[in-house]
Amino acid sequence: MSDPLLQLAGVHTHIGQYHILQGVDLVVPQGGITVLLGRNGAGKTTTLRTIMGLWHASRGTVRFDGGDITQSPTPDIACSGIAYVPESMGIFSDLTVRENLYLAARSVKRAGEMDEARLEWIFGFFGALKKFWNQPAGTLSGGQKQMVAIARAIVEPRKLLLIDEPTKGLAPAIIQGMIAAFRELKRTETILLVEQNFSFVCALGDSVAVMDGGRIVHSGSMAALADDRELQHKLLGLSLDAHQ
Amino acid sequence: MTSISQVASQDSALPKVRVDMLPLLLVPVLALLMLPLVGSFPTWVTLTVAGLAMGMMVFMMASGLTLIFGLMDVLNFGHGAFVSVGAFTATLVLLPMKSWVEAESVWMNLSVVGLAILLAMLVTGLLGWAFERIIIRPVYGLHLKQILITMGGMIVAEQLIHVIWGAEQIPLQLPATFRGAFIFGDAALEKYRLIAVGVGLTVFISMFLVLNRTKVGLLIRAGVENGEMVEALGYRIRRLFVGVFVAGSALAGLGGVMWGLYKETLTAAIGGEITVLVFIVIIVGGLGSVGGCFIGAMLVALVANYAGFLAPKVALVSDILVMVTVLLWRPQGLYPVAKR
């Protein structure tokens, strides 16, 4: 078996006085979609932010593509090949869609130098973006902004995409579009996807990890979890009950 | 793939772009409203040009500060020090090259002032780099400490000016061909004020082009809105911070030279005295907004000039009145930056 693309071992993260991650062990294999599930406050977003170096681990190690990135600065982590789509989408609302993608395309000096074939590939997922190309991103709807956020992450080839709750607040029709887009994306990209929408990730995930209380409490294949209602109830239901 | 595009396009209604024109109309509307109140067209022209010139000089000093606050979230109460240092540095060129200043040659005058401006911007830029490294860097994110330490830095800078240049006022002569006025009908337009308008417009257009047409400019605008995301895209925002701080300090130095030539007398407090006005301008414009800062500077300076002519006592508080009025209308300034 090949080495995992990303591996977290015993990662602890403190935010101020709060001890959020309490020994996270997580493996993201090369290729496909790994889903990180869990209730609100379980530590999913903190896990992504710790991988991205936006918060640094106080203990444990984060290894990516054979290197230790635990204490690396965020720009170095991004340049090593990780793209991040935060829950808030992180769109630059004052800039146009084109300018948002241009900033994400680090290797080009001018907007006109962006890889047109790659852009056409992106427009294949999110056709609407072509129409909004010169529109300020702040004027777009939530679904349109999410398209920009994901397009920005894939405007140049990256080794790993970290995507935090892409369906949050989106209409069902848009979520269906997202499912189709992610199905296409996972053919070429490795994705670590944080979600609370179980039906969304059921249709997409290859492997899954479930978080609770700042730890991974289950990991395995998504197919196994999708087929085992008792396990779903135990992991996701128990988790909810415990905090009611 | 077709199905993906079809589903994605369900959310593809083209949103309307709302262009916020109202603040852009403020300056022309104010100027036109004042015409009947002033009564005399030549006087109105003179007052308006004088106001615009002052506004341009204030903009030069304020534009760097608004970017520094917007991008770095740093309250730099020591910004005035760069204005003072810029003005005093200019004396290192203008006093020894007095014959060039007094020559009745536009080119010699422009050359000597240009050289003074270059040196002032270089010195204040370098000083800004050191100021960011030594004074600002340890207090990122700590507003109270920023206020205290930058005010302290300002006091130290003023005292150092006293040590280097002495405590006496230094007269700064306006170059020979910059003196006097152009007469259009009955309106007298001071040459130096027109030069100030030209320099101010050049700075504004340059900043506009850099911020809108270059990758660095887009990164600065993006960083003002969401610095964390700029880092997550792979850019070192700390380098942008330093660059913007240096550029902002150099602009303050430029403003200091222009302001010093306008006042024709230098004291170490020349920057400190204008700091309050500069802060009013960037608050009126919306913290972090260069366009807002430009309109704010014109508005504050024009109101001060018109009030000085129509009701001199009101002129004493006109800056504050403009700020209060604008903030009652738009509590975050004329063009609030998205994150605020």
Side-chain angles (χ1 to χ4, degrees):
Chain A
M1 190 179 160
S2 63
D3 286 341
L5 181 63
L6 177 78
Q7 186 164 23
L8 279 71
V11 169
H12 291 251
T13 299
H14 289 78
I15 303 169
Q17 60 181 329
Y18 301 104
H19 190 180
I20 309 293
L21 299 189
Q22 302 181 10
V24 170
D25 297 301
L26 175 69
V27 170
V28 176
Q30 187 92 43
I33 295 181
T34 299
V35 177
L36 195 53
L37 284 170
R39 61 171 179 84
N40 271 340
K44 307 182 298 292
T45 296
T46 306
T47 302
L48 293 197
R49 289 179 66 84
T50 302
I51 295 167
M52 209 57 215
L54 295 165
W55 288 325
H56 284 294
S58 45
R59 242 192 299 161
T61 56
V62 182
R63 293 187 67 79
F64 171 67
D65 201 22
D68 187 341
I69 59 165
T70 316
Q71 298 301 325
S72 298
T74 301
D76 289 359
I77 293 170
C79 291
S80 70
I82 303 182
Y84 176 50
V85 181
E87 190 179 346
S88 62
M89 295 180 263
I91 291 298
F92 304 124
S93 54
D94 195 28
L95 307 188
T96 63
V97 171
R98 174 174 166 269
E99 289 167 340
N100 267 275
L101 267 65
Y102 169 44
L103 289 188
R106 285 193 301 268
S107 66
V108 303
K109 289 201 162 53
R110 277 199 293 252
E113 291 171 6
M114 279 192 282
D115 184 346
E116 289 206 11
R118 183 97 184 166
L119 289 178
E120 285 303 325
W121 176 69
I122 292 169
F123 295 147
F125 304 135
F126 308 121
L129 289 186
K130 209 168 189 172
K131 197 171 175 183
F132 305 137
W133 196 230
N134 289 311
Q135 197 82 9
T139 62
L140 306 182
S141 70
Q144 293 160 351
K145 282 181 184 165
Q146 193 59 266
M147 290 179 205
V148 177
I150 295 170
R152 203 169 55 178
I154 58 175
V155 70
E156 284 186 337
R158 304 278 181 249
K159 293 173 188 161
L160 174 66
L161 309 182
L162 307 179
I163 304 179
D164 198 352
E165 299 211 33
T167 65
K168 194 176 179 184
L170 299 189
I174 306 299
I175 292 177
Q176 287 308 311
M178 287 280 170
I179 289 175
F182 276 104
R183 272 207 184 107
E184 289 293 327
L185 267 178
K186 76 175 194 174
R187 291 183 185 178
T188 52
E189 315 286 324
T190 303
I191 301 171
L192 175 57
L193 182 64
V194 161
E195 255 301 339
Q196 293 205 61
N197 183 339
F198 188 66
S199 60
F200 174 72
V201 290
C202 241
L204 288 168
D206 298 298
S207 53
V208 63
V210 181
M211 287 194 81
D212 192 28
R215 289 188 189 90
I216 301 290
V217 294
H218 169 84
S219 54
S221 80
M222 178 53 90
L225 183 61
D227 289 343
D228 192 338
R229 295 184 68 82
E230 199 178 324
L231 186 61
Q232 285 173 33
H233 179 73
K234 184 183 162 199
L235 290 170
L236 304 169
L238 263 182
S239 180
L240 287 171
D241 294 344
H243 291 85
Q244 277 173 349
Chain B
M1 284 299 252
T2 315
S3 63
I4 300 167
S5 299
Q6 281 171 350
V7 179
S9 65
Q10 288 177 9
D11 192 33
S12 65
L14 197 65
K16 283 182 184 162
V17 181
R18 199 178 127 263
V19 181
D20 189 3
M21 293 294 288
L22 279 178
L24 295 176
L25 297 174
L26 281 178
V27 171
V29 166
L30 170 75
L32 289 176
L33 282 177
M34 288 298 128
L35 180 56
L37 292 175
V38 171
S40 150
F41 183 71
T43 309
W44 175 82
V45 171
T46 304
L47 284 173
T48 304
V49 172
L52 291 177
M54 186 181 166
M56 293 291 179
M57 285 184 274
V58 174
F59 167 71
M60 287 175 227
M61 293 180 264
S63 54
L65 186 63
T66 201
L67 271 185
I68 288 167
F69 183 81
L71 182 68
M72 303 160 72
D73 201 22
V74 166
L75 286 165
N76 181 13
F77 276 69
H79 195 69
F82 300 107
V83 174
S84 299
V85 171
F88 274 85
T89 304
T91 64
L92 298 176
V93 173
L94 296 175
L95 296 183
M97 295 179 76
K98 203 173 177 184
S99 58
W100 285 54
V101 174
E102 288 174 347
E104 291 285 341
S105 157
V106 176
W107 292 113
M108 285 174 86
N109 290 171
L110 281 176
S111 302
V112 75
V113 171
L115 190 63
I117 285 173
L118 272 180
L119 183 69
M121 290 181 79
L122 185 71
V123 169
T124 48
L126 282 172
L127 188 69
W129 176 78
F131 200 81
E132 194 276 340
R133 264 188 103 79
I134 298 164
I135 294 184
I136 302 290
R137 200 167 285 188
V139 292
Y140 275 126
L142 307 166
H143 281 156
L144 184 61
K145 286 186 179 174
Q146 283 168 9
I147 293 170
L148 293 173
I149 201 161
T150 55
M151 284 186 92
M154 172 99 175
I155 293 167
V156 170
E158 284 187 3
Q159 295 309 310
L160 281 175
I161 287 173
H162 282 148
V163 170
I164 298 168
W165 280 278
E168 299 300 315
Q169 289 188 352
I170 297 181
L172 198 61
Q173 200 177 348
L174 207 55
T177 58
F178 293 7
R179 284 177 230 146
F182 293 113
I183 307 293
F184 293 101
D186 291 332
L189 303 180
E190 279 186 40
K191 289 178 189 172
Y192 184 67
R193 287 177 172 171
L194 290 175
I195 291 169
V197 171
V199 174
L201 277 177
T202 306
V203 169
F204 177 65
I205 292 168
S206 305
M207 285 183 83
F208 181 83
L209 290 176
V210 168
L211 289 173
N212 289 282
R213 301 284 166 84
T214 67
K215 197 162 196 173
V216 169
L218 292 178
L219 282 171
I220 292 171
R221 284 170 60 203
V224 168
E225 189 177 338
N226 190 342
E228 190 178 77
M229 198 61 221
V230 170
E231 290 227 296
L233 290 180
Y235 300 97
R236 291 182 180 277
I237 204 158
R238 193 52 65 89
R239 286 188 190 159
L240 270 184
F241 281 9
V242 176
V244 166
F245 205 92
V246 168
S249 307
L251 281 172
L254 166 66
V257 179
M258 298 299 292
W259 190 240
L261 284 169
Y262 175 71
K263 304 263 286 185
E264 297 193 65
T265 308
L266 299 187
T267 64
I270 188 171
E273 285 164 2
I274 203 159
T275 297
V276 174
L277 183 62
V278 164
F279 267 92
I280 287 173
V281 162
I282 66 169
I283 290 166
V284 166
L287 292 164
S289 162
V290 173
C293 173
F294 184 76
I295 297 173
M298 299 307 126
L299 204 58
V300 166
L302 279 175
V303 169
N305 255 25
Y306 292 133
F309 178 78
L310 295 168
K313 283 187 179 170
V314 177
L316 296 172
V317 292
S318 67
D319 308 336
I320 301 290
L321 285 178
V322 170
M323 183 170 74
V324 169
T325 310
V326 168
L327 294 184
L328 282 172
W329 174 40
R330 293 193 172 188
Q332 291 182 304
L334 294 174
Y335 282 117
V337 175
K339 76 173 175 185
R340 286 171 219 287

